[in-house]
Amino acid sequence: NYVNSPNQRYLLPDTTGGFFSEFEILPSWRAVEGQGLRHPCMLYVDAFNGGAQPFIEAAFDSLGYEVDRYDYLDATSNWKAPMARWFGGYGSRDDNNGCTIFQLLGYRGILVNSGSSNVPQLMWPEDYGMFSDWLTAHDMDGRYTRQGLLLNGDGMALALQSNSPTLMARLGATLLDSDYASYSGNLESCVRIESPSAMGEAYGTSNSANDYVYDAYGNWCPQQFEFDVIGTSGVGVGNRVYVDGGGFTETEFAQVVTENIVPDGMGYLENYRTILDGVSWHHLAAPDAIGGDRCVSSLDNVAQGAFNELAAAVEWIYDVDYSGLTVLCREYGLGSVSVPGDSHGAMATRLYPSAPNPFAPRTTIRFNLATTGPAELAIYDVAGRRIRTLAQGTLDAGPHDLVWDGTDDAGHSVPSGTYWM
């Protein structure tokens, strides 16, 4: 949607039929009769060009959802800038043309798929940080809306463990091993994935409208994909287990979920659910329609497996039947999907948790200002003494990142302990 002036808007035509490449401008607005311009509530991030896209898009189509897609492709190219927009302090990555947290707030669901990649450096660390911030950031009119983050792929947990332990902790997960076959000793090509026999999962098969039975194909020869084995931490819940050969022994988790739904006097202070998978959805197969054979990796069987996973995830995250989920949810000029200097919407002033925390030798402190004006950010010890002034003066509206290196205003290192912002 190209805006030339306040009174002129243009919907760009689909040009993919006439060129060898494609481009997309996100969010992709649609003209909806009687509703103005709206864009999808869900963003699909294709993080690895590994063959998952046709199956995941088929699953979205089966659910009747329109989604935006962002093609990351860093692991399959020679170089790509981060998805997240950053300003200063990152050398050659200064002022890239990526996404801001404000723009991302227009979406209520984000699915990131790593396909069959087992590359630790799948995405830039700041991209995981943006997803983490998105879960807890709120605009004024969407503050209490449920948000869902789905991180899916054979090597997704490996990439998170390597690049974003902060987000990994928020997901309530740990990486036990990046190769289920070597971890379990199960060398069957076809591996059953199901709810834990001891129960306790966050959501069960009843959440999906279709039969919720599938296998992961390619655990061993003739195809061999490396599936992540995930453990739980904090409030994480093991939702799916691998079933070893013979169907008697369960190995830790193929899926871990978590939720943070914290009410306050006006609604919700936090309101999100997350899902982390150790197997890419395009390596799941529902039983074959003819004969019920396992791990027949046809388009229909794999798309059905992805459909079941997506349907169950949507119903658990949003507490609705998947067929009743609103998929076009933002109208142009309304809401708070804005960037600094944009006149649309009103963003909240908010201080986010520093990361990492605890830290050594430095931590990044992120905050957002609703308007341009005088602001001050200072560090205090537990006795209330001012230790370090990090910012003071007139600051622009929008996001800010400041680094504290653990020193006071005189440049002296402060002792370990608890400090306040």
Side-chain angles (χ1 to χ4, degrees), residues 47-111:
F48 183 75
N49 188 18
Q53 179 183 322
F55 301 99
I56 291 178
E57 292 193 334
F60 277 123
D61 289 342
S62 295
L63 268 67
Y65 294 173
E66 291 188 72
V67 298
D68 278 350
R69 190 183 79 242
Y70 181 90
D71 292 314
Y72 199 93
L73 304 182
D74 186 47
T76 56
S77 65
N78 60 337
W79 191 83
K80 180 176 174 67
M83 178 180 174
R85 185 181 304 180
W86 290 88
F87 305 95
Y90 289 89
S92 62
R93 288 181 274 155
D94 288 5
D95 303 327
N96 73 310
N97 61 348
C99 176
T100 68
I101 188 66
F102 303 122
Q103 294 164 329
L104 207 62
L105 280 171
Y107 300 104
R108 291 298 155 229
I110 299 176
L111 163 64

Side-chain angles (χ1 to χ4, degrees), residues 226-247:
E226 296 179 356
F227 304 143
D228 287 334
V229 182
I230 312 170
T232 60
S233 67
V235 296
V237 176
N239 209 48
R240 298 282 178 261
V241 294
Y242 296 100
V243 180
D244 297 341

